[in-house]
Amino acid sequence: VVDVLPTATNKALDRAEQLLLLKRYEEAIGLFQQLSQVDPNNQIVMLNLALCVYETGIKKKDDAKLKEAVDLYAKVLERDPNNILALIQTARASAKFAAAEKDENTKLRLINDARQSLIRAARYGANCLAALRAYDELKKQFDTDVDLKLKLIKAPQTPRPLRRLRNPFRNPLPR
């Protein structure tokens, strides 16, 4: 029985990730929610759940879904403040909210939040210039922001701990 649970969980995770790749976000949300209940500390599940909720909110133009996605990204960042994907997705959401915001002060705060998230992600090794080109929300908001682009280029890289390299010639399966 102990071996069945991880196998079933892995199959469910594989299926949810397939649905995510196929852009069937609503179906994937249900699986990712079940997986997050099984293992609430799994960062990959939380990130994928947040991404599905965010993309569903964009597709349906549902601000409640977008805010739910931001809350999920905030949970990921509570556990891992240097999570590059969560930082970039948070910047996307802030830029999206800023574009629709009427109040000028709130709009400036959201834009500043997005800029700070991108700069933090760049410090941890993310290619944020590619993110600016890839995501429409960021492209619209920061396309002419030369100062931000310079900060992203010059962001001091925080060194990551070296991982032990796997020997490619060693058989990974035990004999």
Side-chain angles (χ1 to χ4, degrees):
V1 175
V2 175
D3 293 331
V4 174
L5 183 61
T7 303
T9 303
N10 287 339
K11 285 182 181 179
L13 181 60
D14 290 344
R15 179 67 182 142
E17 287 175 345
Q18 285 176 344
L19 291 170
L20 174 63
L21 291 173
L22 294 171
K23 298 183 179 185
R24 292 167 51 188
Y25 301 117
E26 292 176 25
E27 294 174 55
I29 287 172
L31 282 173
F32 282 125
Q33 285 175 336
Q34 290 174 0
L35 289 166
S36 70
Q37 290 172 354
V38 171
D39 185 6
N41 296 323
N42 190 327
Q43 295 286 80
I44 294 170
V45 170
M46 291 300 290
L47 278 169
N48 286 335
L49 174 61
L51 179 62
C52 289
V53 170
Y54 180 79
E55 294 296 339
T56 301
I58 294 235
K59 188 193 286 188
K60 293 186 172 186
K61 297 180 180 174
D62 183 358
D63 284 343
K65 286 278 188 195
L66 293 174
K67 289 180 182 177
E68 181 184 346
V70 169
D71 292 341
L72 288 168
Y73 286 124
K75 284 182 185 177
V76 171
L77 289 171
E78 277 178 22
R79 293 183 191 142
D80 181 10
N82 306 330
N83 190 304
I84 293 170
L85 294 173
L87 287 167
I88 290 174
Q89 292 299 107
T90 301
R92 271 183 80 189
S94 293
K96 181 77 174 170
F97 285 132
E101 185 59 48
K102 303 276 190 259
D103 181 42
E104 198 61 35
N105 289 332
T106 306
K107 184 174 188 166
L108 289 173
R109 183 185 54 79
L110 288 168
I111 291 170
N112 190 43
D113 290 348
R115 292 183 84 205
Q116 294 306 315
S117 292
L118 287 171
I119 291 169
R120 274 182 57 202
R123 286 188 183 134
Y124 292 106
N127 185 351
C128 291
L129 292 175
L132 288 178
R133 290 189 297 272
Y135 296 119
D136 288 338
E137 302 93 338
L138 298 175
K139 189 185 301 183
K140 289 175 187 173
Q141 197 66 50
F142 300 115
D143 196 37
T144 58
D145 193 343
V146 177
D147 183 47
L148 174 63
K149 291 178 182 177
L150 286 173
K151 285 183 179 179
L152 294 178
I153 291 169
K154 294 178 180 179
Q157 299 288 311
T158 302
R160 292 180 175 217
L162 292 176
R163 292 185 180 171
R164 186 173 168 194
L165 296 176
R166 184 178 76 77
N167 183 347
F169 300 108
R170 183 170 170 254
N171 186 355
L173 300 174
R175 294 182 187 180

